[in-house]
């Protein structure tokens, strides 16, 4: 009887079987290998991705202006307030009319209500300070941007035809001694908007430079400020 030599080569079929078995062993070693923290190496773990970034709320647009306008809003009690605005309900410039109420002087101050009225057919909201700027007849700004009076704004809900107002104040020029100029118009920008509403200014001259020339604006609240 003839014995096979130990150095004899396996058959091609046997060689393929050995290769397949070796590959299965290597695969089982790779998939079972864990990281130092107990996670499987090479696999992303749930919960490790950064949460989606949330867009910061824009502050009330007190540095821009708003859309064109006239005025004449209804009663103060009609509008309502709530702590936060519902998403997507902000009043846009083109939905509003702007006006300026009568001066209500006091303690050496000139105080005017700046009124925005909802001229659209939907309910919308205002939240924060208006933008404001006095313009001369050539359309150039008179004086610096008004200062925003620090306050805690509330969301003012405006049904069609309802109004909200913000106070615009400055020291009486005859008392402060500030240099004055006669504006042709006041630009008013609703919060978070960029396009201005233009209101013809029919009042007196306003301070534009010098001591106590600062103009200030307050946050919006329901009504006309009358």
């Amino acid at each position: 009887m003839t014995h096979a030599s130990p150095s004899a080569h396996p058959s091609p079929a046997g060689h393929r079987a050995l290769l397949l078995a070796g590959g299965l062993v290597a695969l089982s070693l790779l998939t079972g290998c864990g990281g130092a923290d107990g996670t499987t190496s090479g696999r992303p773990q749930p919960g490790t991705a950064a949460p989606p970034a949330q867009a910061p709320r824009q502050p009330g647009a007190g540095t821009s202006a708003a859309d064109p306008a006239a005025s004449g809003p209804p009663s103060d009690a009609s509008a309502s307030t709530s702590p936060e605005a519902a998403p997507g309900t902000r009043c846009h410039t083109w939905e509003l009319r702007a006006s300026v109420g009568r001066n209500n002087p006091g303690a050496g101050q000139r105080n005017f209500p700046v009124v925005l009225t909802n001229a659209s057919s939907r309910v919308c909201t205002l939240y924060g300070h208006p933008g404001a700027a006095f313009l001369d007849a050539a359309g150039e700004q008179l004086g610096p941007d008004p200062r925003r009076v620090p306050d805690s704004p509330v969301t003012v809900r405006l049904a069609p035809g309802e109004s909200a107002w913000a106070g615009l104040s400055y020291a009486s020029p005859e008392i402060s001694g500030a240099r004055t100029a006669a504006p042709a118009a006041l630009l008013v920008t609703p919060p978070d908007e960029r396009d201005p509403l233009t209101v013809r200014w029919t009042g007196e001259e306003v301070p534009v430079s010098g001591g106590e020339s600062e103009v200030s604006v307050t946050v919006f609240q329901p009504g006309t400020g009358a």
Side-chain angles (χ1 to χ4, degrees):
M1 177 187 258
T2 304
H3 294 283
S5 168
S7 61
H9 293 288
S11 68
H15 183 69
R16 284 195 300 272
L18 288 172
L19 289 175
L20 179 60
L24 290 173
V25 170
L27 180 61
S28 65
L29 289 173
L30 286 173
T31 57
C33 204
D37 58 354
T39 61
T40 303
S41 61
R43 293 174 182 250
Q45 297 304 302
T48 58
Q54 295 185 359
R57 187 187 183 282
Q58 294 184 341
T63 53
S64 309
D67 218 348
S71 144
S75 122
D76 293 22
S78 54
S80 61
T81 63
S82 60
E84 296 181 3
T89 63
R90 185 179 86 237
C91 296
H92 299 292
T93 296
W94 61 87
E95 299 177 297
L96 299 166
R97 297 197 316 269
S99 62
V100 177
R102 294 179 181 177
N103 175 30
N104 181 23
Q109 290 278 319
R110 298 287 191 267
N111 305 298
F112 296 88
V114 176
V115 182
L116 293 182
T117 300
N118 183 1
S120 75
S121 59
R122 74 175 185 111
V123 174
C124 65
T125 58
L126 294 173
Y127 181 92
H129 297 79
F134 289 109
L135 301 182
D136 63 16
E140 298 295 323
Q141 182 170 337
L142 296 171
D145 291 340
R147 176 182 65 89
R148 297 181 186 184
V149 176
D151 203 350
S152 299
V154 294
T155 299
V156 183
R157 178 183 178 277
L158 299 179
E162 292 182 342
S163 302
W165 71 281
L168 182 147
S169 301
Y170 53 85
S172 302
E174 60 270 22
I175 296 176
S176 68
R179 187 172 71 83
T180 63
L186 175 69
L187 292 185
V188 181
T189 309
D192 297 321
E193 292 290 299
R194 293 186 178 275
D195 298 323
L197 291 154
T198 305
V199 183
R200 188 166 65 92
W201 183 259
T202 59
E204 58 188 15
E205 293 191 352
V206 300
V208 294
S209 66
E212 299 297 325
S213 63
E214 184 177 75
V215 178
S216 63
V217 290
T218 66
V219 297
F220 278 105
Q221 54 190 301
T224 64

